[in-house]
Each structure stands twice: as structure tokens, then as C-alpha cells.
């Protein structure tokens, strides 16, 4: 019988404070390995391992490819790499982003559940949107333990609330109390649990891919959605292959980028906002050019051209005013910045 000796933790917006509180509560003799993903910008380096190492009694390191996941140590995903679990070791990959993130919480959770089954404890901390929900459902489906930060304790309650909306989790506690809870859960022998789903196996393989994903690896996972991927403009497939009950609607494009419906909606809003700002700038430039051409025509005494350019200027200026009011109305407000830039150096 396996024992619970692998803890996987996911966080995003507001995750630094939650992670510091979490590791501060972990006992020094915790007999389990810990793997952590916090959504990070792709560029630069992360100081997260140093921050977490100073916040608690357990040593923390930035994970490297092939590193053994040691009990009593916190292993942190580096920027721009998925952290995956393969045969008790850390695997780093440059696989397709999930919800625009690499590392991604769901990629870690899915790989851990696939490789370690019921011996996994999944922990979701502060974050916006619904990252981590699909991964937690995969962990639960294999008999693993599920723990969620109390939404009232989180700076951003989107991720914890989404898990609670889709799954009857085992424990909901403030981040500072999760360590004491895990002390009593780690090391317990558990049933082997069910086999990982075919979809979990295939998605774990996609996340581990570094040489690119073929369309014939993605198309069989679902059906065409008629939506486009915000990352590459490719066609998105709605995943339908043996999804666990309760998983929120998810998509993958034909080169592997993954999106939940909620994250896709936010990304579409961001793309639309960018397009509207571009249109506003173009209209203002058009009005400015027409104004200059009107002045030149006036100097030459070309009254017909003066009237034409004046109409063009007025039409462009009026359209620009409409777009400006729309942009300032807050229509494109986003729930949160989903990366922890405060500790990227």
C-alpha cells in the first residue's frame, strides 16, 4: 500500500503571502516531499526558493531537471518551465502553456496524480480564476487528499472557490494551519486508488513535451470548438475524452496550449481591449493627419478639399471619443494580475 508522501501546492495572484504562511506552519520533521508551482513571468529569475527557505524550518530549492524529490524539502518550479513529477523525480519541460502559464498548477497536479496516485496531497492556495481545479479533480479521482486554503483567508479567492465549487474537498483551512493538518496526514497508508484517466495520461505527456506537439496528438482529445487560441490563433479543441465528473470546460489548441473556459474568456477580453486601444490610436492619428491636410488645402485656397478633410477629421475624432468612453467605462476590467512579479528579480 502506498503512503502519502508527496505534497503538491499551487498558487497564483496573492500566492507569495499564502506560500510563506503555508511553509511557516510545516513541521521540521515532515516526512514528505513538497513541490510548488507559483505562476511566474517567463523572463528573469525567481527568488521564491530563498523566500520560502527563510519562512519556515524546511529547506527550499529551485527544482532542476532530474532532481530527486526529497522528503523534508520544498522544490520550487523555476520560471518558464513546467514542474512535473516522473518516477519520484522532478521533470522540467518547456511544454505548451496552460491558461497562458508556464509553470502551470494543473500540469504539476496532473503529473503527480498520474505518477503517484493516492499518495499525493494536493493544496490550492490564493489565486484568481480557476487554475488548479482540473488538477485537483484528477488527484481526487486517484484517491489523493485535497486541501484548499479557506477563501476568506486568501488575498484572491478565485482558485480556492473554484475548487470548492467543483469538488467536495477533504479540508478547507487557513494557510497558516495547513502545515499542522499535514503533519497528521503524511505517512498514512492508503488504498492504491483508481487508474489515471486516458486524458490525464495524454495531457501529462503533452506537458512533458519539449519538441512540439503534433495536431494528431490533440485532435482525438475532443471536438472542434470554433474558438481560437489566444496564444497562437490556432483552432481550439474542446476536451471531451473521459473528463472526470465536474471538471470545468477546457480546451487545447492543435499545438497544445491549454485553456479553461474562464481563462479563455479573460484572454479574449484582453485581446479585445488591445484591439480597441489600437483602433483608438489609429483614429486619433487619422484625425491628426486630416487636420494637417486641411491646413495645407486651406493655404492653397482649395475650399472643396478643406471641407472634405474637415469631415474626415470630425468623423475620426467622434469615433475616437466613442472608443475612449468605452475603454474608460471599465468594461475590460480583469479580476487580477495572475503572476507574482513581486518576487522576480
Amino acid at each position: 500500500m502506498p503512503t502519502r508522501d508527496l505534497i503538491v501546492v499551487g498558487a497564483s495572484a496573492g500566492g507569495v503571502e499564502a506560500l510563506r504562511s503555508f511553509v511557516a506552519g510545516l513541521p521540521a520533521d515532515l516526512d514528505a516531499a513538497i513541490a510548488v508551482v507559483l505562476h511566474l513571468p517567463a523572463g528573469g529569475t525567481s527568488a521564491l526558493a530563498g523566500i520560502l527557505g527563510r519562512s519556515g524550518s524546511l529547506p527550499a530549492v529551485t527544482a532542476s531537471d532530474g532532481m530527486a524529490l526529497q522528503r523534508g524539502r520544498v522544490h520550487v518550479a523555476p520560471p518558464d518551465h513546467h514542474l512535473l513529477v516522473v518516477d519520484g523525480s522532478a521533470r522540467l519541460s518547456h511544454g505548451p502553456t496552460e491558461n497562458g502559464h508556464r509553470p502551470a498548477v494543473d500540469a504539476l497536479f496532473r503529473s503527480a496524480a498520474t505518477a503517484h496516485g493516492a499518495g499525493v496531497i494536493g493544496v490550492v492556495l490564493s489565486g484568481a480564476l480557476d487554475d488548479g481545479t482540473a488538477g485537483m479533480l484528477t488527484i481526487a479521482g486517484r484517491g489523493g487528499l485535497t486541501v484548499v486554503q479557506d477563501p476568506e483567508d486568501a488575498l484572491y479567492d478565485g482558485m480556492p472557490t473554484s475548487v470548492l465549487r467543483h469538488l467536495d474537498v477533504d479540508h478547507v483551512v487557513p494557510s497558516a494551519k495547513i502545515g499542522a493538518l499535514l503533519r497528521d496526514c503524511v505517512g498514512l497508508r492508503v488504498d492504491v486508488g483508481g487508474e489515471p484517466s486516458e486524458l490525464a495520461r495524454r495531457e501529462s505527456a503533452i506537458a512533458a513535451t519539449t519538441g512540439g506537439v503534433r495536431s494528431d496528438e490533440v485532435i482525438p482529445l475532443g471536438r472542434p470548438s470554433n474558438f481560437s487560441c489566444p496564444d497562437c490563433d490556432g483552432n481550439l479543441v474542446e476536451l471531451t475524452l473521459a473528463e472526470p465528473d465536474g471538471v470545468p470546460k477546457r480546451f487545447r489548441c492543435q499545438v497544445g496550449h491549454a485553456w479553461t473556459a474562464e481563462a479563455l474568456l479573460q484572454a479574449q477580453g484582453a485581446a479585445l481591449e488591445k484591439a480597441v486601444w489600437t483602433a483608438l490610436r489609429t483614429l486619433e492619428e487619422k484625425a491628426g493627419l486630416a487636420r494637417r491636410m486641411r491646413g495645407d488645402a486651406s493655404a492653397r485656397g482649395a475650399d472643396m478639399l478643406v471641407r472634405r478633410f474637415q469631415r474626415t477629421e470630425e468623423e475620426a475624432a467622434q469615433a475616437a471619443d466613442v472608443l475612449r468612453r468605452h475603454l474608460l467605462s471599465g468594461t475590460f476590467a480583469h479580476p487580477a494580475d495572475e503572476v507574482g512579479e513581486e518576487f522576480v528579480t
Side-chain angles (χ1 to χ4, degrees), residues 57-103:
S57 56
L58 296 182
V61 298
T62 299
S64 59
D65 192 45
M67 173 185 286
L69 296 173
Q70 295 185 12
R71 298 185 183 189
R73 188 164 71 171
V74 180
H75 309 77
V76 178
D80 204 30
H81 289 82
H82 289 310
L83 172 58
L84 310 173
V85 177
V86 178
D87 296 329
S89 297
R91 169 76 183 274
L92 300 185
S93 87
H94 201 70
T97 59
E98 301 202 13
N99 288 346
H101 302 301
R102 188 194 304 114

Side-chain angles (χ1 to χ4, degrees), residues 2-342:
T3 60
R4 289 204 165 116
D5 57 5
L6 175 62
I7 301 166
V8 290
V9 186
S12 189
V16 178
E17 179 175 322
L19 283 166
R20 292 180 64 182
S21 176
F22 164 74
V23 299
L26 294 173
D29 59 350
L30 187 70
D31 194 24
I34 303 165
V36 172
V37 160
L38 178 73
H39 291 156
L40 296 166
T45 58
S46 171
L48 182 58
I51 292 172
L52 298 186
R54 293 190 298 270
S55 299
S57 56
L58 296 182
V61 298
T62 299
S64 59
D65 192 45
M67 173 185 286
L69 296 173
Q70 295 185 12
R71 298 185 183 189
R73 188 164 71 171
V74 180
H75 309 77
V76 178
D80 204 30
H81 289 82
H82 289 310
L83 172 58
L84 310 173
V85 177
V86 178
D87 296 329
S89 297
R91 169 76 183 274
L92 300 185
S93 87
H94 201 70
T97 59
E98 301 202 13
N99 288 346
H101 302 301
R102 188 194 304 114
V105 174
D106 281 321
L108 169 62
F109 283 14
R110 188 186 306 117
S111 70
T114 301
H116 212 60
V120 176
I121 300 174
V123 179
V124 167
L125 301 175
S126 175
L129 300 181
D130 56 357
D131 297 279
T133 297
M136 283 286 265
L137 283 160
T138 304
I139 290 173
R142 295 222 61 200
L145 192 74
T146 54
V147 181
V148 170
Q149 181 181 7
D150 187 337
E152 294 187 0
D153 180 59
L155 287 176
Y156 292 90
D157 65 1
M159 282 173 50
T161 298
S162 176
V163 176
L164 293 173
R165 188 165 58 243
H166 291 91
L167 177 66
D168 185 15
V169 303
D170 296 302
H171 301 281
V172 182
V173 292
S175 60
K177 296 184 178 181
I178 295 177
L181 169 70
L182 295 181
R183 180 190 295 113
D184 299 327
C185 299
V186 163
L188 298 179
R189 293 191 174 276
V190 292
D191 293 333
V192 173
E195 289 296 313
S197 69
E198 182 63 20
L199 181 60
R201 291 181 191 273
R202 294 195 188 188
E203 288 197 283
S204 292
I206 289 173
T209 300
T210 57
V213 177
R214 302 190 311 273
S215 60
D216 60 6
E217 296 178 82
V218 177
I219 292 175
L221 303 183
R223 59 189 177 215
S225 70
N226 297 321
F227 301 131
S228 299
C229 175
D231 278 347
C232 67
D233 294 326
N235 295 326
L236 286 170
V237 171
E238 181 180 343
L239 301 181
T240 59
L241 177 65
E243 280 274 56
D245 293 339
V247 172
K249 191 179 296 296
R250 296 191 300 121
F251 305 87
R252 276 192 185 271
C253 74
Q254 294 182 24
V255 295
H257 299 127
W259 298 89
T260 64
E262 188 173 350
L264 179 61
L265 188 65
Q266 185 193 37
Q268 289 173 335
L272 177 58
E273 180 179 7
K274 181 179 179 180
V276 173
W277 279 110
T278 301
L280 174 60
R281 186 201 68 221
T282 302
L283 285 167
E284 289 180 336
E285 290 178 356
K286 183 178 181 180
L289 180 59
R291 186 180 310 114
R292 182 175 300 179
M293 295 175 73
R294 175 168 58 87
D296 292 343
S298 178
R300 298 195 309 270
D303 294 340
M304 185 178 295
L305 287 176
V306 169
R307 290 192 294 271
R308 174 187 167 190
F309 292 138
Q310 183 173 2
R311 286 195 301 271
T312 299
E313 177 188 351
E314 291 172 350
E315 290 170 357
Q318 289 171 2
D321 286 341
V322 171
L323 292 184
R324 188 178 293 104
R325 287 195 298 272
H326 189 60
L327 286 164
L328 296 177
S329 69
T331 303
F332 300 107
H334 306 304
D337 181 3
E338 275 282 87
V339 293
E341 296 185 17
E342 63 269 33

